[in-house]
Amino acid sequence: MKVLFDTSVLLPALDVKHTQHEACYKLLKNCEANAEVIVLNTHLMAELFNNLTKQPRLAITVAEINLTVHRLADRYVNVELNMTDYLAAIDRCTSLGLRGGVVYDALHFQAAIKAKVNVLYTGNLRDFERLKTEEITFGIKSPY
């Protein structure tokens, strides 16, 4: 099985002080134990770095966060989003009449399409469900 984690799942999995840490960390470890292919995408890496570096409660340096991001990129399957993918995400939002920040979720959604995942894991079910259209066959689930 192939799964994609968005930032709302991977960030809590890494941050032991996050309120959803236990559920997200358990999901990540279960996926690893079941030899599921864990997919990350280029957009996620920037979001993750942004969110981790603005967490004042984390007792790690920016250099350590950088190292963590690099280790994740080395450990899991990476899906690179190119201009065609960004435009497809924007087109999806446009065709569904969606505006604003949902485009960032649409980038994760496009990565899931591109990687042909079975499940996209997110903490924002409502936002991702509204991006789904008839031809989408993967599931959208939350660990919490």
Side-chain angles (χ1 to χ4, degrees), residues 108-122:
H108 294 294
F109 201 90
Q110 180 61 30
I113 293 169
K114 189 172 186 175
K116 298 180 175 137
V117 301
N118 301 96
V119 177
L120 185 157
Y121 285 108
T122 181

Side-chain angles (χ1 to χ4, degrees), residues 1-87:
M1 187 153 103
K2 193 184 284 189
V3 300
L4 184 136
F5 283 55
D6 88 334
T7 311
S8 67
V9 175
L10 194 56
L11 176 67
L14 299 174
D15 180 357
V16 296
K17 294 181 181 177
H18 194 284
T19 57
Q20 300 301 335
H21 171 71
E22 189 175 325
C24 294
Y25 184 76
K26 182 179 176 183
L27 173 64
L28 181 63
K29 290 304 168 187
N30 284 344
C31 288
E32 288 176 348
N34 294 330
E36 294 177 10
V37 176
I38 298 171
V39 177
L40 308 179
N41 67 78
T42 48
H43 173 69
L44 173 130
M45 303 312 275
E47 273 190 345
L48 192 61
F49 181 81
N50 172 52
N51 285 293
L52 286 171
T53 56
K54 69 181 185 183
Q55 297 291 331
R57 66 185 191 278
L58 292 179
I60 59 176
T61 66
V62 172
E64 290 168 319
I65 292 169
N66 181 35
L67 183 59
T68 297
V69 170
H70 279 267
R71 285 182 177 154
L72 290 169
D74 291 341
R75 185 172 191 166
Y76 302 119
V77 172
N78 298 289
V79 173
E80 292 188 29
L81 298 177
N82 58 32
M83 184 62 75
T84 301
D85 298 311
Y86 273 73
L87 293 174

